Amino acid sequence: MTKTKHKIVMFMVAAIAAASLAITGCKKTETTTGEGQKYTCEMHPEIVQDKPGKCPKCGMALTQKR
């Protein structure tokens, strides 16, 4: 495989991965909060909040931590 073809394949893999992450990041978060519930970013698990919202790093919706 030539370097150019290899770069194209790697770009396509990265694009597909980014698209799938964007789709999973569109999940609706729970709107009611109870005691002890935590919300986190799927891309940045170090971001943890006690209410739903958006990740301050990437803007994705926070999902309820299980």
Side-chain angles (χ1 to χ4, degrees):
M1 189 178 286
T2 66
K3 285 186 180 184
T4 304
K5 286 183 182 178
H6 182 67
K7 286 181 182 180
I8 291 171
V9 169
M10 293 304 293
F11 175 77
M12 292 180 73
V13 169
I16 291 169
S20 67
L21 288 173
I23 290 169
T24 59
C26 294
K27 293 180 187 173
K28 185 176 180 181
T29 58
E30 183 117 5
T31 55
T32 58
T33 59
E35 278 190 47
Q37 289 183 335
K38 300 291 181 187
Y39 294 83
T40 188
C41 176
E42 292 181 9
M43 292 293 296
H44 303 99
E46 69 274 11
I47 303 295
V48 179
Q49 296 182 2
D50 60 351
K51 59 184 179 182
K54 291 190 177 198
C55 175
K57 289 187 176 182
C58 67
M60 285 179 58
L62 301 178
T63 56
Q64 190 173 0
K65 198 172 183 180
R66 295 175 193 185

